[in-house]
Amino acid sequence: MSGPVVAGVDGSERSLAAAGWAAREALDRAVPLLLLHASPPLPPRVSPVPGADAWEHVGEQMIRQTATDLAGRHPGLEVTGEHVAAPADEALLTAARTAGLMVVGTRGWGGFDGLAVGSVALRVATAADCPVVTVPERRAGEAPGVAEATGAGEAGGAGEAGEVGVADETGEEAGEVVAALDAHGRVAETADFAFRAALAREARLRVVHAWALPAAAPSAWMIGVLEEDRAMWEDQEGQAVSDALRPWRTRYPQVDVLPDVVLLNPAQALVRSSARALLLVVGRRTAERVAERHLGPVAHAVLHHARCPVAVVPHPPR
C-alpha cells in the first residue's frame, strides 16, 4: 500500500480515464501518482534523429499536460510524469515492481472496434508484481462513467473522470464493491484489497462465492436436485464464506458486507454483479518467474466482460 500509484498513459481517452481513476486512488491512499508513457524507440532507418526526438517530445508533452491537469483538480496530490523509450508492457511491468497499484485503460490507441482488452492491459494484469486495475470504456446506454467524463476531447488533458457506475441518469448514488472469493482457497490478499476499497468508498462490499454441485451429484441443469440436498450444500458453502471473512469483518467493522453465495458459473455471476459495481476485485495466482504467471479462466472472462473497473490482485498459490 505504501508504493506509488502508477498509471499507464498513451493519450487515448481510455488511458486518460485510467489516469483520473488513479489520481483519486492515490489521493485516498496518500501516496504519489506516477504517470508513465512508454513507446519503443523508432528504428534509425525508419526515422532520422529529428523525427525520433519529435516522437519522444510528443509523449513528454502529453505527460506534462496530463500531470498538470490532474494536479489542478486534486490539490495535495503529488503527480510526476515519465516517458520511457521501451515497449509499453515492459515499462509498466518494471514500474510495477515498486508500485503499490498499477492502473491502465482496458485499451489504448491500438486494437479494433469490439476489442474489450488490449494486449498491454492483459499482459500487465497477468504478470505485474502489484495489484492492477483496468478501467473500461463506458458503454452506450450506461450511467455517466469514466470514459465520457474525461473531457479529453475538449481540453486535451485527463479531464474530470468519474467512477463507472457511480450514478445513474437521475444522479442517484449507486454501486458497491464486488469481490470474488473462493472460500476454500487463499483469500487474504483479495479480501484485504476489497475491504480497503469498500472502506475508502464508503460502499457496501458484496462478496460473491459461486459454487458448483459436488462431482458425484447430478447436474442441476439436467436433473432436478432435491431441495433439501441443495439447501444443505448452500448452508455448507455459506458457512465456509462466513468463516473465511471473519478476520476481515473484525478488522474492518465499518464495512457493510453482503455475502452472495450462488449456484452459478463464477465468471457469469461476477459479470452480472459488475453491472452496478464501482469496482470488481478478483485474485490471481502468481509465480516467481514472470513467464509462469497466467490468468485463470474466471479472471480472464471478467477482464473481458465486466462493466466496471476490475482489480486483479496477485497472491501466492496457497
Side-chain angles (χ1 to χ4, degrees):
M1 292 291 291
S2 60
V5 173
V6 179
V9 181
D10 66 358
S12 67
E13 190 171 281
R14 296 176 185 87
S15 76
L16 297 176
W21 197 99
R24 292 189 301 277
E25 187 69 19
L27 202 59
D28 287 341
R29 294 177 176 223
V31 298
L33 170 65
L34 170 62
L35 302 176
L36 184 62
H37 176 265
S39 60
L42 296 175
R45 293 182 181 179
V46 173
S47 175
V49 172
D53 290 343
W55 178 258
E56 182 174 337
H57 176 71
V58 169
E60 293 175 345
Q61 186 178 38
M62 181 270 297
I63 283 290
R64 285 196 300 269
Q65 180 63 54
T66 305
T68 300
D69 291 346
L70 290 174
R73 283 198 311 279
H74 301 282
L77 176 63
E78 179 185 343
V79 189
T80 57
E82 182 179 353
H83 171 83
V84 179
D89 56 346
E90 293 181 9
L92 291 169
L93 289 176
T94 298
R97 295 172 187 166
T98 56
L101 181 69
M102 176 71 65
V103 184
V104 294
T106 49
R107 277 177 52 196
W109 284 116
F112 50 86
D113 289 343
L115 180 66
V117 182
S119 59
V120 172
L122 196 59
R123 166 75 168 152
V124 172
T126 299
D129 290 323
C130 67
V132 175
V133 173
T134 61
V135 179
E137 180 182 23
R138 186 177 73 87
R139 302 180 183 183
E142 287 183 341
V146 177
E148 179 185 77
T150 55
E154 297 180 6
E160 185 59 42
E163 294 270 17
V164 169
V166 168
D168 58 22
E169 286 81 354
T170 65
E172 295 178 353
E173 289 295 324
E176 58 192 2
V177 173
V178 176
L181 180 73
D182 177 5
H184 305 291
R186 186 181 179 101
V187 302
E189 291 80 4
T190 306
D192 197 65
F193 188 100
F195 269 83
R196 287 175 179 266
L199 181 63
R201 290 160 177 78
E202 299 181 349
R204 180 174 66 182
L205 174 60
R206 178 184 295 271
V207 178
V208 176
H209 173 73
W211 61 287
L213 293 167
S219 171
W221 295 275
M222 296 175 62
I223 304 175
V225 179
L226 294 176
E227 285 301 317
E228 55 267 30
D229 290 339
R230 176 167 174 168
M232 177 186 67
W233 292 327
E234 287 178 340
D235 288 344
Q236 291 173 348
E237 296 301 312
Q239 186 59 52
V241 171
S242 179
D243 292 343
L245 290 177
R246 188 171 294 115
W248 284 272
R249 280 182 144 168
T250 301
R251 190 178 306 169
Y252 302 99
Q254 313 95 315
V255 177
D256 177 22
V257 182
L258 175 63
D260 191 1
V261 180
V262 291
L263 178 57
L264 192 65
N265 175 276
Q268 184 179 356
L270 292 168
V271 170
R272 179 182 298 178
S273 296
S274 74
R276 299 282 288 175
L278 300 172
L279 179 67
L280 196 161
V281 184
V282 297
R284 168 182 65 80
R285 293 186 182 92
T286 191
E288 286 295 326
R289 296 178 57 191
V290 173
E292 296 175 353
R293 299 175 186 178
H294 66 279
L295 289 175
V298 174
H300 191 274
V302 165
L303 277 176
H304 282 81
H305 299 288
R307 301 173 68 179
C308 69
V310 176
V312 180
V313 181
H315 62 78
R318 293 299 298 176

